[in-house]
Amino acid sequence: MRRVKRRARSRHGAASVFLAIIMSALILVECTFLAYVWNLDYALSVNTALKTEIDTILSDYNRQLFDVYGIYAFSLDDVDSYCFDKALEINGLDAKSELYVSGSHALTAEDLKRAVSSYNFYRGTGISFKGVVEGYSDLLTEIDTKGIFNQIGEFMRSPAADYLSKIIKGKENAEEWVNKAEGVIDIEEVLEAVSDTDSLRSDYRNVIKDFELDLDIDIANWESLLNTVSRLEAATDLVSDKSPDIMKKFHVAHYCAYNFDCWVKPNGDATINGTGFSSIHSEKHADSEYIVTGLDKNAAVLETGFITANILILANMLKDYANEEIRNTIYVVAQFISMLISAVSEGTVNIDPRIIAVGVTFYVSTVQAIKDFHAVLSGSRAVIFEYEGQKMVTMNYRDFLYLYALCTPEDKLLGRSLEILTRDYGELYKGIVLEADFRGSTYSIDKSYTLYG
Protein backbone atom coordinates (compact mmCIF):
# COMPACT_ATOMS: atom_id res chain seq x y z
CA MET A 1 0.00 0.00 0.00
CA ARG A 2 1.32 3.34 -1.10
CA ARG A 3 1.70 5.98 1.57
CA VAL A 4 0.38 9.55 0.86
CA LYS A 5 2.58 12.35 2.05
CA ARG A 6 1.03 15.32 3.79
CA ARG A 7 1.39 18.78 2.12
CA ALA A 8 4.10 20.80 3.72
CA ARG A 9 2.75 23.90 5.52
CA SER A 10 4.45 27.31 5.21
CA ARG A 11 4.78 29.64 8.17
CA HIS A 12 4.55 32.63 5.77
CA GLY A 13 1.07 31.59 4.58
CA ALA A 14 -0.26 31.39 8.13
CA ALA A 15 1.09 34.86 8.88
CA SER A 16 -0.64 36.27 5.80
CA VAL A 17 -3.99 34.85 6.86
CA PHE A 18 -3.52 36.18 10.36
CA LEU A 19 -2.64 39.63 9.08
CA ALA A 20 -5.59 39.61 6.70
CA ILE A 21 -7.95 38.86 9.57
CA ILE A 22 -6.42 41.59 11.72
CA MET A 23 -6.47 44.14 8.90
CA SER A 24 -10.08 43.40 7.97
CA ALA A 25 -11.15 44.06 11.55
CA LEU A 26 -9.02 47.20 11.68
CA ILE A 27 -10.40 48.46 8.38
CA LEU A 28 -13.93 47.79 9.61
CA VAL A 29 -13.27 49.73 12.79
CA GLU A 30 -11.60 52.59 10.92
CA CYS A 31 -14.39 52.82 8.35
CA THR A 32 -17.00 52.76 11.07
CA PHE A 33 -15.13 55.46 12.96
CA LEU A 34 -14.72 57.56 9.80
CA ALA A 35 -18.44 57.21 9.01
CA TYR A 36 -19.30 58.22 12.57
CA VAL A 37 -16.98 61.22 12.42
CA TRP A 38 -18.39 62.21 9.04
CA ASN A 39 -21.95 61.95 10.36
CA LEU A 40 -20.96 63.86 13.48
CA ASP A 41 -19.35 66.55 11.35
CA TYR A 42 -22.49 66.81 9.26
CA ALA A 43 -24.64 66.95 12.39
CA LEU A 44 -22.47 69.74 13.77
CA SER A 45 -22.79 71.53 10.44
CA VAL A 46 -26.58 71.13 10.57
CA ASN A 47 -26.65 72.59 14.08
CA THR A 48 -24.44 75.48 12.96
CA ALA A 49 -26.68 76.03 9.95
CA LEU A 50 -29.76 76.00 12.22
CA LYS A 51 -28.19 78.61 14.52
CA THR A 52 -27.24 80.73 11.52
CA GLU A 53 -30.75 80.50 10.12
CA ILE A 54 -32.54 81.32 13.39
CA ASP A 55 -30.20 84.25 14.13
CA THR A 56 -30.87 85.55 10.62
CA ILE A 57 -34.63 85.31 11.18
CA LEU A 58 -34.46 87.12 14.53
CA SER A 59 -32.18 89.81 13.13
CA ASP A 60 -34.68 90.47 10.34
CA TYR A 61 -37.11 92.21 12.71
CA ASN A 62 -39.36 95.01 11.48
CA ARG A 63 -37.21 98.14 11.78
CA GLN A 64 -40.08 100.64 11.80
CA LEU A 65 -41.93 98.64 14.43
CA PHE A 66 -38.86 98.81 16.65
CA ASP A 67 -38.10 102.50 16.01
CA VAL A 68 -41.67 103.68 16.61
CA TYR A 69 -42.97 101.21 19.20
CA GLY A 70 -39.82 99.63 20.67
CA ILE A 71 -40.95 96.12 19.70
CA TYR A 72 -38.71 93.33 18.44
CA ALA A 73 -40.91 91.13 16.22
CA PHE A 74 -40.85 89.44 12.83
CA SER A 75 -43.24 87.86 10.35
CA LEU A 76 -43.27 84.19 9.39
CA ASP A 77 -43.98 85.15 5.78
CA ASP A 78 -40.31 85.98 5.23
CA VAL A 79 -38.92 82.73 6.70
CA ASP A 80 -37.09 80.47 4.16
CA SER A 81 -34.17 77.99 4.11
CA TYR A 82 -31.72 80.13 2.13
CA CYS A 83 -29.24 80.81 4.95
CA PHE A 84 -29.53 77.23 6.19
CA ASP A 85 -28.61 75.81 2.76
CA LYS A 86 -25.80 78.31 2.25
CA ALA A 87 -24.31 77.51 5.67
CA LEU A 88 -24.07 73.82 4.68
CA GLU A 89 -22.60 74.64 1.28
CA ILE A 90 -19.90 76.82 2.84
CA ASN A 91 -18.75 73.74 4.79
CA GLY A 92 -18.60 71.74 1.55
CA LEU A 93 -21.73 69.75 2.33
CA ASP A 94 -24.73 69.15 0.17
CA ALA A 95 -28.08 70.24 1.60
CA LYS A 96 -29.39 66.78 2.39
CA SER A 97 -31.53 67.99 5.30
CA GLU A 98 -34.93 69.60 4.98
CA LEU A 99 -35.56 72.65 7.15
CA TYR A 100 -39.01 73.27 8.54
CA VAL A 101 -40.69 75.43 11.17
CA SER A 102 -42.10 73.23 13.91
CA GLY A 103 -43.29 75.99 16.21
CA SER A 104 -43.43 79.73 16.84
CA HIS A 105 -44.01 82.13 19.70
CA ALA A 106 -46.53 84.87 18.95
CA LEU A 107 -46.22 88.29 20.56
CA THR A 108 -48.62 88.58 23.52
CA ALA A 109 -50.03 91.45 25.56
CA GLU A 110 -47.63 90.58 28.39
CA ASP A 111 -44.73 90.76 25.92
CA LEU A 112 -45.98 94.14 24.77
CA LYS A 113 -45.99 95.31 28.39
CA ARG A 114 -42.30 94.37 28.73
CA ALA A 115 -41.53 96.17 25.47
CA VAL A 116 -43.33 99.29 26.71
CA SER A 117 -41.34 99.30 29.95
CA SER A 118 -38.08 98.98 28.03
CA TYR A 119 -39.21 101.61 25.52
CA ASN A 120 -39.94 104.16 28.22
CA PHE A 121 -36.83 103.31 30.23
CA TYR A 122 -34.72 105.20 27.68
CA ARG A 123 -37.24 108.00 27.26
CA GLY A 124 -38.38 108.43 30.86
CA THR A 125 -36.48 111.65 31.44
CA GLY A 126 -38.31 113.28 28.54
CA ILE A 127 -41.79 112.14 29.51
CA SER A 128 -43.89 113.68 32.27
CA PHE A 129 -46.09 110.89 33.53
CA LYS A 130 -47.85 112.68 36.36
CA GLY A 131 -48.12 116.29 35.19
CA VAL A 132 -51.53 115.96 33.56
CA VAL A 133 -53.16 113.89 36.26
CA GLU A 134 -51.67 116.03 39.05
CA GLY A 135 -53.18 119.09 37.42
CA TYR A 136 -56.54 117.43 37.15
CA SER A 137 -56.22 116.26 40.74
CA ASP A 138 -55.73 119.88 41.81
CA LEU A 139 -58.80 120.81 39.79
CA LEU A 140 -60.96 118.22 41.56
CA THR A 141 -59.59 119.19 44.95
CA GLU A 142 -60.36 122.88 44.43
CA ILE A 143 -63.87 122.15 43.16
CA ASP A 144 -64.53 119.91 46.14
CA THR A 145 -63.07 122.49 48.55
CA LYS A 146 -65.41 125.16 47.25
CA GLY A 147 -68.37 122.82 47.74
CA ILE A 148 -69.40 122.92 44.09
CA PHE A 149 -70.42 119.26 43.98
CA ASN A 150 -72.73 119.65 46.97
CA GLN A 151 -74.29 122.75 45.44
CA ILE A 152 -74.82 120.87 42.20
CA GLY A 153 -76.81 118.25 44.08
CA GLU A 154 -78.98 120.88 45.74
CA PHE A 155 -79.60 122.61 42.44
CA MET A 156 -80.59 119.36 40.70
CA ARG A 157 -83.16 118.60 43.40
CA SER A 158 -84.72 122.08 43.20
CA PRO A 159 -87.31 123.43 40.71
CA ALA A 160 -84.77 126.11 39.76
CA ALA A 161 -83.10 123.77 37.28
CA ASP A 162 -86.15 123.59 35.02
CA TYR A 163 -86.92 127.32 35.33
CA LEU A 164 -83.35 128.35 34.59
CA SER A 165 -83.19 126.09 31.54
CA LYS A 166 -86.33 127.67 30.11
CA ILE A 167 -85.11 131.21 30.80
CA ILE A 168 -81.72 130.70 29.18
CA LYS A 169 -82.75 128.41 26.30
CA GLY A 170 -86.35 129.46 25.72
CA LYS A 171 -87.76 131.82 23.10
CA GLU A 172 -88.77 134.51 25.60
CA ASN A 173 -86.22 137.03 26.79
CA ALA A 174 -85.77 138.21 30.38
CA GLU A 175 -88.08 141.22 29.93
CA GLU A 176 -90.91 138.97 28.77
CA TRP A 177 -90.40 136.80 31.84
CA VAL A 178 -90.63 139.93 34.00
CA ASN A 179 -93.94 140.76 32.35
CA LYS A 180 -95.17 137.30 33.35
CA ALA A 181 -94.73 138.36 36.94
CA GLU A 182 -97.75 140.71 36.41
CA GLY A 183 -96.19 143.81 37.92
CA VAL A 184 -94.71 142.13 40.99
CA ILE A 185 -91.25 142.98 39.66
CA ASP A 186 -90.40 146.48 38.45
CA ILE A 187 -88.27 146.11 35.33
CA GLU A 188 -86.60 149.47 35.97
CA GLU A 189 -85.27 148.20 39.28
CA VAL A 190 -83.71 145.08 37.77
CA LEU A 191 -82.70 146.52 34.42
CA GLU A 192 -79.04 145.59 34.84
CA ALA A 193 -79.89 142.00 35.81
CA VAL A 194 -82.27 141.74 32.81
CA SER A 195 -79.46 142.90 30.53
CA ASP A 196 -76.97 140.40 32.01
CA THR A 197 -79.49 137.56 31.70
CA ASP A 198 -80.19 138.34 28.05
CA SER A 199 -76.43 138.57 27.51
CA LEU A 200 -76.08 134.99 28.82
CA ARG A 201 -78.86 133.88 26.48
CA SER A 202 -77.16 135.60 23.58
CA ASP A 203 -73.72 134.14 24.35
CA TYR A 204 -75.18 130.65 24.57
CA ARG A 205 -77.00 130.93 21.26
CA ASN A 206 -74.12 132.59 19.44
CA VAL A 207 -71.48 130.09 20.44
CA ILE A 208 -73.63 127.20 19.24
CA LYS A 209 -74.34 129.05 16.00
CA ASP A 210 -70.73 130.14 15.43
CA PHE A 211 -69.27 126.68 15.91
CA GLU A 212 -72.18 124.94 14.15
CA LEU A 213 -72.71 122.59 17.07
CA ASP A 214 -76.01 120.84 17.51
CA LEU A 215 -76.18 120.90 21.31
CA ASP A 216 -79.07 120.78 23.71
CA ILE A 217 -77.58 121.33 27.15
CA ASP A 218 -80.06 120.40 29.84
CA ILE A 219 -79.29 122.29 33.04
CA ALA A 220 -81.52 119.87 34.96
CA ASN A 221 -79.39 116.89 33.95
CA TRP A 222 -75.98 116.84 35.62
CA GLU A 223 -75.56 113.07 35.67
CA SER A 224 -73.18 112.98 32.73
CA LEU A 225 -70.96 115.61 34.33
CA LEU A 226 -70.87 113.74 37.64
CA ASN A 227 -70.26 110.43 35.87
CA THR A 228 -67.22 111.97 34.20
CA VAL A 229 -65.93 113.09 37.59
CA SER A 230 -66.45 109.61 39.08
CA ARG A 231 -64.64 108.01 36.18
CA LEU A 232 -61.66 110.33 36.38
CA GLU A 233 -61.31 110.24 40.16
CA ALA A 234 -59.60 106.88 39.66
CA ALA A 235 -56.77 108.69 37.88
CA THR A 236 -56.17 110.98 40.84
CA ASP A 237 -55.70 107.94 43.10
CA LEU A 238 -52.76 106.87 40.97
CA VAL A 239 -50.77 109.95 41.90
CA SER A 240 -50.55 108.99 45.57
CA ASP A 241 -49.71 105.33 44.88
CA LYS A 242 -45.96 104.72 44.98
CA SER A 243 -45.94 101.06 43.90
CA PRO A 244 -43.82 99.98 40.88
CA ASP A 245 -46.94 98.62 39.18
CA ILE A 246 -48.49 102.08 39.15
CA MET A 247 -45.44 103.49 37.37
CA LYS A 248 -45.85 100.76 34.76
CA LYS A 249 -49.45 101.87 34.34
CA PHE A 250 -48.21 105.40 33.65
CA HIS A 251 -45.85 103.93 31.03
CA VAL A 252 -48.60 101.98 29.29
CA ALA A 253 -51.10 104.86 29.38
CA HIS A 254 -48.58 107.33 27.96
CA TYR A 255 -47.55 104.83 25.26
CA CYS A 256 -51.17 104.30 24.14
CA ALA A 257 -52.16 107.98 24.21
CA TYR A 258 -49.15 109.50 22.44
CA ASN A 259 -47.80 106.81 20.10
CA PHE A 260 -50.84 105.78 18.06
CA ASP A 261 -52.86 107.57 15.43
CA CYS A 262 -55.85 109.59 16.61
CA TRP A 263 -58.80 111.20 14.86
CA VAL A 264 -58.24 114.71 16.22
CA LYS A 265 -54.65 115.70 15.56
CA PRO A 266 -52.92 118.27 17.82
CA ASN A 267 -50.45 120.64 16.19
CA GLY A 268 -47.33 118.84 15.02
CA ASP A 269 -48.88 115.46 15.74
CA ALA A 270 -46.73 112.36 15.11
CA THR A 271 -45.41 109.37 17.01
CA ILE A 272 -43.11 109.91 19.97
CA ASN A 273 -40.01 109.63 17.75
CA GLY A 274 -41.51 111.94 15.10
CA THR A 275 -42.62 109.33 12.56
CA GLY A 276 -45.69 110.41 10.59
CA PHE A 277 -48.65 108.07 10.80
CA SER A 278 -49.06 108.21 7.01
CA SER A 279 -45.89 106.11 6.73
CA ILE A 280 -47.45 103.44 8.95
CA HIS A 281 -50.87 103.23 7.33
CA SER A 282 -52.43 105.05 4.40
CA GLU A 283 -55.69 106.15 6.06
CA LYS A 284 -56.29 108.19 9.18
CA HIS A 285 -57.53 106.08 12.10
CA ALA A 286 -59.00 106.71 15.54
CA ASP A 287 -56.58 104.23 17.09
CA SER A 288 -55.91 105.94 20.44
CA GLU A 289 -59.62 106.59 20.87
CA TYR A 290 -60.34 102.90 20.26
CA ILE A 291 -57.61 101.82 22.69
CA VAL A 292 -59.01 103.88 25.58
CA THR A 293 -62.71 103.20 24.89
CA GLY A 294 -62.92 99.88 23.03
CA LEU A 295 -65.52 101.43 20.70
CA ASP A 296 -65.63 101.78 16.93
CA LYS A 297 -64.34 104.99 15.34
CA ASN A 298 -67.43 107.22 15.48
CA ALA A 299 -68.56 106.05 18.90
CA ALA A 300 -65.01 106.28 20.30
CA VAL A 301 -64.53 109.84 19.02
CA LEU A 302 -67.88 110.90 20.45
CA GLU A 303 -67.10 109.29 23.81
CA THR A 304 -63.71 110.96 24.18
CA GLY A 305 -65.12 114.28 22.94
CA PHE A 306 -68.00 114.08 25.41
CA ILE A 307 -65.69 113.51 28.38
CA THR A 308 -63.34 116.24 27.17
CA ALA A 309 -66.21 118.73 27.06
CA ASN A 310 -67.25 117.84 30.62
CA ILE A 311 -63.71 118.33 31.92
CA LEU A 312 -63.54 121.71 30.22
CA ILE A 313 -66.86 122.69 31.82
CA LEU A 314 -65.50 121.80 35.27
CA ALA A 315 -62.30 123.70 34.59
CA ASN A 316 -64.22 126.80 33.53
CA MET A 317 -66.53 126.56 36.52
CA LEU A 318 -63.51 126.72 38.80
CA LYS A 319 -62.00 129.64 36.88
CA ASP A 320 -65.32 131.52 37.01
CA TYR A 321 -65.63 130.94 40.75
CA ALA A 322 -62.12 132.30 41.16
CA ASN A 323 -62.87 135.41 39.07
CA GLU A 324 -64.49 137.97 41.36
CA GLU A 325 -66.02 140.03 38.53
CA ILE A 326 -67.65 137.05 36.86
CA ARG A 327 -68.72 135.64 40.23
CA ASN A 328 -70.44 138.89 41.23
CA THR A 329 -72.22 139.20 37.87
CA ILE A 330 -73.46 135.64 38.14
CA TYR A 331 -74.75 136.24 41.65
CA VAL A 332 -76.69 139.33 40.53
CA VAL A 333 -78.29 137.28 37.76
CA ALA A 334 -79.03 134.49 40.26
CA GLN A 335 -80.76 136.95 42.61
CA PHE A 336 -82.87 138.25 39.75
CA ILE A 337 -83.85 134.75 38.61
CA SER A 338 -84.68 133.75 42.19
CA MET A 339 -86.97 136.78 42.44
CA LEU A 340 -88.43 135.99 39.02
CA ILE A 341 -89.19 132.37 39.89
CA SER A 342 -90.83 133.40 43.15
CA ALA A 343 -93.01 135.95 41.34
CA VAL A 344 -93.99 133.67 38.44
CA SER A 345 -94.80 130.82 40.83
CA GLU A 346 -96.81 133.23 42.99
CA GLY A 347 -94.53 132.66 45.96
CA THR A 348 -94.79 128.85 45.94
CA VAL A 349 -91.16 128.39 44.89
CA ASN A 350 -88.48 130.25 46.83
CA ILE A 351 -84.91 129.28 46.05
CA ASP A 352 -81.66 130.51 47.57
CA PRO A 353 -79.82 132.60 44.92
CA ARG A 354 -76.57 130.83 45.83
CA ILE A 355 -78.04 127.57 44.55
CA ILE A 356 -79.24 129.21 41.34
CA ALA A 357 -75.76 130.69 40.91
CA VAL A 358 -74.42 127.16 40.42
CA GLY A 359 -76.76 126.64 37.47
CA VAL A 360 -75.91 130.04 35.99
CA THR A 361 -72.21 129.25 36.39
CA PHE A 362 -72.79 125.99 34.54
CA TYR A 363 -74.26 127.82 31.55
CA VAL A 364 -71.48 130.40 31.52
CA SER A 365 -68.88 127.63 31.81
CA THR A 366 -70.56 125.66 29.04
CA VAL A 367 -70.25 128.60 26.64
CA GLN A 368 -66.59 128.98 27.58
CA ALA A 369 -66.01 125.22 27.36
CA ILE A 370 -67.45 125.07 23.84
CA LYS A 371 -64.88 127.64 22.74
CA ASP A 372 -62.10 125.68 24.48
CA PHE A 373 -63.37 122.43 23.01
CA HIS A 374 -63.27 123.92 19.52
CA ALA A 375 -59.69 125.04 20.17
CA VAL A 376 -58.73 121.52 21.28
CA LEU A 377 -60.34 120.02 18.16
CA SER A 378 -58.33 122.52 16.11
CA GLY A 379 -55.08 121.23 17.61
CA SER A 380 -54.49 123.91 20.25
CA ARG A 381 -54.26 123.68 24.04
CA ALA A 382 -56.94 124.49 26.61
CA VAL A 383 -56.30 125.88 30.10
CA ILE A 384 -57.43 123.34 32.69
CA PHE A 385 -56.10 124.83 35.89
CA GLU A 386 -54.83 128.29 36.69
CA TYR A 387 -54.00 130.09 39.90
CA GLU A 388 -53.96 133.86 40.31
CA GLY A 389 -53.98 134.35 36.57
CA GLN A 390 -51.10 131.91 35.96
CA LYS A 391 -51.80 128.99 33.63
CA MET A 392 -50.70 126.03 35.73
CA VAL A 393 -51.98 123.18 33.52
CA THR A 394 -52.83 123.23 29.82
CA MET A 395 -53.88 120.22 27.81
CA ASN A 396 -54.14 119.32 24.15
CA TYR A 397 -56.17 116.44 22.73
CA ARG A 398 -53.54 113.78 23.40
CA ASP A 399 -53.22 114.94 27.00
CA PHE A 400 -56.93 114.23 27.42
CA LEU A 401 -56.42 110.79 25.85
CA TYR A 402 -53.62 110.16 28.34
CA LEU A 403 -55.93 111.01 31.22
CA TYR A 404 -58.59 108.63 29.88
CA ALA A 405 -56.00 105.89 29.37
CA LEU A 406 -55.11 106.12 33.06
CA CYS A 407 -58.76 105.32 33.82
CA THR A 408 -58.77 102.24 31.55
CA PRO A 409 -57.66 98.79 32.80
CA GLU A 410 -54.12 98.00 31.73
CA ASP A 411 -54.99 94.66 30.14
CA LYS A 412 -57.56 96.39 27.92
CA LEU A 413 -55.01 98.98 26.79
CA LEU A 414 -52.40 96.33 25.94
CA GLY A 415 -54.84 93.99 24.19
CA ARG A 416 -56.28 96.73 21.98
CA SER A 417 -52.83 98.12 21.21
CA LEU A 418 -51.74 94.68 20.03
CA GLU A 419 -54.80 94.56 17.76
CA ILE A 420 -53.75 97.85 16.15
CA LEU A 421 -50.15 96.70 15.71
CA THR A 422 -51.31 93.44 14.13
CA ARG A 423 -53.52 95.36 11.73
CA ASP A 424 -50.61 97.55 10.60
CA TYR A 425 -47.78 95.01 10.63
CA GLY A 426 -49.43 91.61 10.32
CA GLU A 427 -49.07 88.69 12.73
CA LEU A 428 -46.10 89.36 14.98
CA TYR A 429 -43.78 86.75 16.47
CA LYS A 430 -41.08 86.99 19.12
CA GLY A 431 -39.51 83.53 18.65
CA ILE A 432 -39.40 80.44 16.47
CA VAL A 433 -38.57 76.70 16.58
CA LEU A 434 -36.61 75.26 13.60
CA GLU A 435 -35.99 71.57 12.87
CA ALA A 436 -33.92 69.64 10.33
CA ASP A 437 -33.55 65.87 9.85
CA PHE A 438 -30.62 63.73 8.70
CA ARG A 439 -30.55 59.94 8.49
CA GLY A 440 -33.42 59.48 10.91
CA SER A 441 -32.19 61.98 13.46
CA THR A 442 -33.94 65.31 14.11
CA TYR A 443 -32.03 68.44 15.08
CA SER A 444 -33.91 71.41 16.49
CA ILE A 445 -33.35 74.86 17.95
CA ASP A 446 -35.73 77.18 19.82
CA LYS A 447 -34.88 80.85 20.27
CA SER A 448 -36.67 84.11 21.14
CA TYR A 449 -35.69 87.71 21.83
CA THR A 450 -34.13 88.17 25.24
CA LEU A 451 -36.29 91.27 25.77
CA TYR A 452 -39.34 89.11 26.47
CA GLY A 453 -37.65 86.85 29.00
Side-chain angles (χ1 to χ4, degrees):
M1 182 175 182
R2 189 175 179 179
R3 190 174 185 179
V4 180
K5 294 183 179 180
R6 295 182 179 178
R7 181 179 301 175
R9 295 181 179 179
S10 172
R11 291 183 178 178
H12 296 289
S16 298
V17 173
F18 176 77
L19 288 175
I21 294 173
I22 295 299
M23 289 302 297
S24 62
L26 181 62
I27 291 171
L28 177 62
V29 171
E30 288 293 331
C31 289
T32 301
F33 179 74
L34 287 174
Y36 172 77
V37 171
W38 187 86
N39 285 338
L40 181 61
D41 181 63
Y42 193 93
L44 291 173
S45 297
V46 169
N47 275 320
T48 301
L50 282 172
K51 292 178 181 178
T52 301
E53 177 68 32
I54 203 167
D55 286 341
T56 301
I57 293 172
L58 294 178
S59 65
D60 193 27
Y61 58 87
N62 189 299
R63 295 309 193 262
Q64 186 185 67
L65 184 64
F66 174 72
D67 291 339
V68 176
Y69 298 103
I71 297 172
Y72 284 108
F74 60 90
S75 171
L76 291 179
D77 296 336
D78 300 326
V79 175
D80 55 37
S81 61
Y82 179 80
C83 290
F84 176 78
D85 295 337
K86 285 297 181 181
L88 291 179
E89 291 176 11
I90 289 173
N91 290 321
L93 302 171
D94 295 330
K96 297 180 180 179
S97 298
E98 181 180 356
L99 177 72
Y100 54 94
V101 178
S102 63
S104 57
H105 308 295
L107 192 73
T108 65
E110 189 62 29
D111 297 325
L112 180 58
K113 183 177 180 179
R114 292 192 181 96
V116 171
S117 296
S118 174
Y119 183 83
N120 283 307
F121 177 79
Y122 298 103
R123 297 169 174 82
T125 55
I127 294 175
S128 175
F129 295 113
K130 295 186 178 182
V132 171
V133 72
E134 284 179 339
Y136 182 74
S137 176
D138 291 339
L139 171 66
L140 285 182
T141 301
E142 286 296 318
I143 289 178
D144 189 51
T145 300
K146 295 183 181 300
I148 294 176
F149 292 142
N150 291 331
Q151 294 174 23
I152 287 174
E154 290 184 63
F155 182 82
M156 286 176 59
R157 292 189 294 269
S158 74
D162 186 53
Y163 275 105
L164 183 57
S165 183
K166 291 177 180 178
I167 291 171
I168 298 295
K169 296 167 53 181
K171 297 180 180 179
E172 300 167 322
N173 58 30
E175 184 177 346
E176 290 171 322
W177 273 87
V178 171
N179 293 333
K180 285 184 179 182
E182 298 179 352
V184 176
I185 300 176
D186 185 354
I187 193 171
E188 296 297 330
E189 295 180 357
V190 292
L191 193 60
E192 183 180 352
V194 169
S195 176
D196 289 336
T197 304
D198 284 336
S199 178
L200 292 178
R201 283 166 44 85
S202 177
D203 288 344
Y204 174 73
R205 293 171 184 274
N206 288 339
V207 75
I208 292 177
K209 179 182 177 181
D210 291 343
F211 295 113
E212 299 180 350
L213 298 173
D214 184 18
L215 296 177
D216 182 18
I217 302 171
D218 186 1
I219 194 67
N221 183 8
W222 293 72
E223 279 80 1
S224 62
L225 188 67
L226 297 179
N227 287 340
T228 298
V229 173
S230 297
R231 180 176 178 179
L232 295 176
E233 279 180 335
T236 64
D237 294 336
L238 295 175
V239 178
S240 59
D241 197 319
K242 306 297 183 182
S243 69
D245 289 338
I246 294 302
M247 183 52 69
K248 290 180 181 178
K249 178 63 182 290
F250 279 108
H251 287 158
V252 173
H254 190 279
Y255 184 87
C256 295
Y258 293 94
N259 222 23
F260 289 87
D261 202 0
C262 69
W263 194 250
V264 178
K265 297 187 179 298
N267 293 331
D269 189 46
T271 65
I272 292 177
N273 75 337
T275 302
F277 293 105
S278 59
S279 66
I280 299 176
H281 44 244
S282 57
E283 299 179 358
K284 183 170 68 171
H285 293 285
D287 292 338
S288 287
E289 290 91 343
Y290 167 70
I291 291 172
V292 299
T293 65
L295 302 173
D296 293 335
K297 182 185 73 176
N298 292 335
V301 172
L302 286 174
E303 175 75 5
T304 53
F306 186 73
I307 300 174
T308 299
N310 281 331
I311 294 176
L312 291 172
I313 290 173
L314 288 171
N316 280 290
M317 287 184 74
L318 182 59
K319 286 185 286 186
D320 291 341
Y321 266 87
N323 188 307
E324 185 177 359
E325 182 179 352
I326 294 177
R327 187 173 67 248
N328 291 338
T329 300
I330 288 175
Y331 188 70
V332 169
V333 172
Q335 286 180 310
F336 163 68
I337 292 176
S338 176
M339 184 191 310
L340 192 63
I341 292 173
S342 178
V344 171
S345 65
E346 298 180 349
T348 59
V349 180
N350 294 303
I351 305 170
D352 189 333
R354 290 173 296 182
I355 297 177
I356 297 177
V358 177
V360 177
T361 303
F362 174 79
Y363 265 112
V364 173
S365 301
T366 298
V367 170
Q368 296 167 334
I370 290 174
K371 296 178 181 179
D372 290 340
F373 185 60
H374 186 268
V376 170
L377 296 184
S378 301
S380 301
R381 304 184 72 85
V383 178
I384 298 301
F385 184 70
E386 64 180 10
Y387 183 74
E388 295 183 352
Q390 295 295 320
K391 297 178 181 179
M392 307 297 289
V393 179
T394 63
M395 293 171 62
N396 65 9
Y397 186 69
R398 285 205 179 272
D399 296 330
F400 283 106
L401 290 176
Y402 174 46
L403 188 60
Y404 310 153
L406 288 171
C407 307
T408 306
E410 189 176 88
D411 59 334
K412 299 292 185 183
L413 294 176
L414 292 168
R416 294 166 188 163
S417 298
L418 192 56
E419 287 182 40
I420 300 300
L421 294 171
T422 302
R423 181 202 66 198
D424 288 339
Y425 296 98
E427 293 295 330
L428 301 174
Y429 295 87
K430 63 175 181 178
I432 193 170
V433 182
L434 297 179
E435 290 188 358
D437 55 3
F438 175 69
R439 292 188 175 180
S441 297
T442 300
Y443 305 91
S444 67
I445 186 169
D446 182 351
K447 195 171 184 180
S448 300
Y449 296 111
T450 307
L451 172 65
Y452 306 114

